[in-house]
Amino acid sequence: MNRVITYGTFDLLHYGHINLLRAAKQKGDYLIVGLSTDEFNLHQKGKKSYFTYEKRKQLLEAIRYVDLVIPEDSWAQKHTDVDQYNIDTFVIGDDWEGKFDFLSTESGIEVVYLPRTPEVSTTQIKADLTNMNDKDKSKDF
Ligand code: C2G
């Protein structure tokens, strides 16, 4: 039983997230997602998610690839998570390339950086929606 873990905010869930979760699950048999809490987002990641932790958790738990969602509320919890959940493989998008290699050297697990889906991001979705809204407002009725 190969146990995989990944972490993220997963706000405004989109197909880039789904591609990552599908590929992460393909690395094993059981996938745990460390979901960034609202506080962690605000104070450590400098971002405010549109959906609350509970709503983002509800969405992730509905995804066939996800077996368990746990809170991510500190950068340092990865070591203890790896031990507590008997993790074999850590997976994350390659925007984090190299940042978590310590998990391989210190915890002896496989660390995999997967290619991001290039054309979609939560930030871009928010920007596009703002532009669409502005265009609608500027129309002469
Ligand atoms: N992702 C992706 N393609 C996209 C957007 C996101 O593959 N177009 C991946 C990211 O690389 C990440 C996961 O989806 O692996 C979640 O993305 P975010 O919610 O942006 O996560 P992030 O803010 O990078 O948090 O401790 C690690 C952090 O919590 C990761």
Side-chain angles (χ1 to χ4, degrees):
M1 168 86 132
N2 190 302
R3 299 165 66 84
V4 185
I5 197 164
T6 190
Y7 295 82
T9 298
F10 295 97
D11 193 27
L12 296 184
L13 196 65
H14 55 68
Y15 62 92
H17 296 135
I18 302 300
N19 288 342
L20 186 284
L21 293 169
R22 180 191 304 110
K25 183 58 175 283
Q26 285 166 354
K27 294 292 176 189
D29 315 284
Y30 190 86
L31 175 60
I32 299 176
V33 178
L35 182 61
S36 308
T37 61
D38 298 330
E39 298 74 20
F40 185 59
N41 276 328
L42 212 49
H43 302 306
Q44 301 298 323
K45 296 170 86 171
K47 58 185 181 180
K48 183 170 175 9
S49 56
Y50 179 81
F51 286 126
T52 63
Y53 174 81
E54 282 310 317
K55 295 291 184 221
R56 291 182 283 120
K57 182 171 186 281
Q58 190 183 343
L59 285 161
L60 283 178
E61 287 173 340
I63 297 171
R64 69 176 67 179
Y65 310 118
V66 176
D67 295 290
L68 176 67
V69 179
I70 63 171
E72 178 189 33
D73 47 27
S74 87
W75 292 113
Q77 73 181 76
K78 293 180 176 65
H79 278 298
T80 45
D81 289 347
V82 164
D83 295 341
Q84 184 178 342
Y85 294 98
N86 300 315
I87 299 298
D88 303 290
T89 307
F90 170 89
V91 174
I92 200 157
D94 61 7
D95 44 321
W96 293 90
E97 184 79 36
K99 297 288 191 303
F100 299 110
D101 293 352
F102 65 86
L103 287 170
S104 173
T105 48
E106 294 167 19
S107 298
I109 64 169
E110 185 189 14
V111 173
V112 180
Y113 300 102
L114 293 171
R116 277 173 70 95
T117 304
E119 77 280 1
V120 63
S121 72
T122 302
T123 309
Q124 190 59 50
I125 292 169
K126 288 179 179 175
D128 290 350
L129 287 172
T130 303
N131 292 338
M132 285 161 65
N133 192 34
D134 291 349
K135 280 199 185 101
D136 287 350
K137 279 185 187 159
S138 64
K139 274 191 192 124
D140 299 329
F141 288 101

